[in-house]
Amino acid sequence: MDPTLLSIGFGNFLISRRVIAIVSPSSAPMRRLREEARDGKRLIDATQGRRTRSVIITDSNHVILSAIQSETIAQRFAPDGTIRSEDLI
């Protein structure tokens, strides 16, 4: 199986099929999730010191912080704006 890489900014990539959710970091539950991941050594900070604009949750229960907007990352899944049904399974 050929892995499709997803750019999350500043030369950082992840395998797109491992992504479960891309969410905004501003809500209280996302702040708690980030702290729990930090305490559990599952937090990956890919912001390069910039403001966190999206939180990516993977199937391995890792939490990845990105400085790229959630909408921008979601558009990178399918450049034409469509989401394939096989990507949802």
Side-chain angles (χ1 to χ4, degrees), residues 45-65:
D45 187 350
T47 63
Q48 302 292 330
R50 291 171 176 81
R51 183 175 147 229
T52 300
R53 296 188 179 196
S54 62
V55 176
I56 303 164
I57 303 165
T58 65
D59 61 352
S60 62
N61 209 20
H62 283 85
V63 176
I64 304 167
L65 307 179

Side-chain angles (χ1 to χ4, degrees), residues 27-75:
S27 68
M30 287 305 107
R31 288 188 200 120
R32 282 193 302 270
L33 179 69
R34 182 181 357 189
E35 290 305 315
E36 289 171 5
R38 180 172 291 140
D39 294 342
K41 309 271 192 251
R42 296 177 288 107
L43 182 70
I44 300 169
D45 187 350
T47 63
Q48 302 292 330
R50 291 171 176 81
R51 183 175 147 229
T52 300
R53 296 188 179 196
S54 62
V55 176
I56 303 164
I57 303 165
T58 65
D59 61 352
S60 62
N61 209 20
H62 283 85
V63 176
I64 304 167
L65 307 179
S66 175
I68 306 295
Q69 291 282 349
S70 301
E71 294 84 9
T72 304
I73 296 172
Q75 288 173 350

Side-chain angles (χ1 to χ4, degrees), residues 3-14:
T4 303
L5 296 177
L6 176 66
S7 173
I8 59 171
F10 305 108
N12 299 300
F13 298 87
L14 55 93

